[in-house]
Amino acid sequence: MSHLEKDSFGAKLGMWLFLFTEMLLFGGVFILYSVYLTRYPKEFGLGGHQLDLVYGATNTVVLLTSSLFAAMSVTAIKTGAKKLTLGLLSGTIGCAFIFLGIKYLEWSAKFHHGIYPNSPKLIAGPPGESIFFGLYYLTTGLHGIHVIVGAVLMSWTAVMVSKERINAGDNVTLENVTLYWHLVDLVWIFIFPLYYLIL
């Protein structure tokens, strides 16, 4: 095994271990959600109906598209298609900004209607509803931070590709950043049905 192959293996192993810790983080949040859902099923259902399904569904499509672009960028760089790789990375970054823009609109609408942590409206309502929205803001806020980090990493990776520091023969960095982005997508796949499709 060459030195480069050893470095690649170590980098990939390190990334998988990091992703495992990230899954533990979100897994803990989802467990907390499940505990309170069991306790307040009616209030969680009412809370879910107040979320905008169109926003949630659109963001799901946006993230799935971004993951497709990210995966295609890895294939492109391995064939030496630099321009195509940069185009696909730009598409991924663009999707990230679209996602964040939609999330900003959604949060703004909720704040406008007095639905935010410790708001008078939620405090006056049933405790289960307040807990639902508290978890909603916690989960989507935490996920949003990961989207921002992913977009920054994708932008940095695009710069490295343009400078040919990431190329057909050395692309483990792009693979790892793409893995991280797939995690961001995967987490949203759990968030969407838990909050937007709850009955």
Side-chain angles (χ1 to χ4, degrees):
M1 181 180 292
S2 68
H3 178 68
L4 180 60
E5 288 175 329
K6 289 181 179 178
D7 287 346
S8 297
F9 176 77
K12 289 179 181 179
L13 178 61
M15 176 53 72
W16 278 110
L17 291 174
F18 171 72
L19 294 180
F20 177 71
T21 63
E22 290 289 283
M23 289 303 296
L24 289 178
L25 171 64
F26 280 102
V29 176
F30 292 145
I31 289 173
L32 189 62
Y33 173 96
S34 300
V35 170
Y36 281 112
L37 172 61
T38 302
R39 187 171 181 179
Y40 302 107
K42 182 179 178 180
E43 290 84 351
F44 269 48
L46 292 174
H49 290 154
Q50 295 182 60
L51 297 180
D52 195 310
L53 182 59
V54 174
Y55 279 150
T58 302
N59 262 346
T60 301
V61 174
V62 169
L63 275 190
L64 287 174
T65 302
S66 72
S67 273
L68 174 62
F69 287 158
M72 290 173 66
S73 72
V74 175
T75 302
I77 195 65
K78 289 184 177 181
T79 62
K82 177 181 173 181
K83 289 184 178 180
L84 178 58
T85 302
L86 290 172
L88 290 167
L89 288 174
S90 297
T92 304
I93 296 166
C95 286
F97 280 108
I98 292 172
F99 177 92
L100 292 171
I102 292 174
K103 185 55 60 180
Y104 170 78
L105 293 175
E106 184 178 12
W107 275 29
S108 295
K110 288 290 170 286
F111 273 67
H112 178 72
H113 290 97
I115 301 175
Y116 52 87
N118 295 320
S119 69
K121 180 176 181 179
L122 289 181
I123 291 175
E129 186 179 14
S130 179
I131 291 173
F132 172 83
F133 281 106
L135 286 172
Y136 162 76
Y137 281 112
L138 170 64
T139 308
T140 57
L142 188 60
H143 179 263
I145 292 172
H146 281 72
V147 172
I148 293 171
V149 171
V152 170
L153 289 174
M154 283 290 178
S155 299
W156 172 75
T157 303
V159 172
M160 293 298 102
V161 171
S162 67
K163 294 181 177 179
E164 297 188 356
R165 293 183 183 178
I166 296 177
N167 50 60
D170 184 7
N171 47 67
V172 66
T173 300
L174 177 57
E175 288 187 8
N176 282 343
V177 172
T178 299
L179 279 175
Y180 176 85
W181 191 255
H182 288 327
L183 170 70
V184 172
D185 186 19
L186 178 63
V187 170
W188 180 258
I189 294 301
F190 281 94
I191 291 175
F192 178 60
L194 286 177
Y195 288 95
Y196 294 85
L197 300 181
I198 182 172
L199 301 178

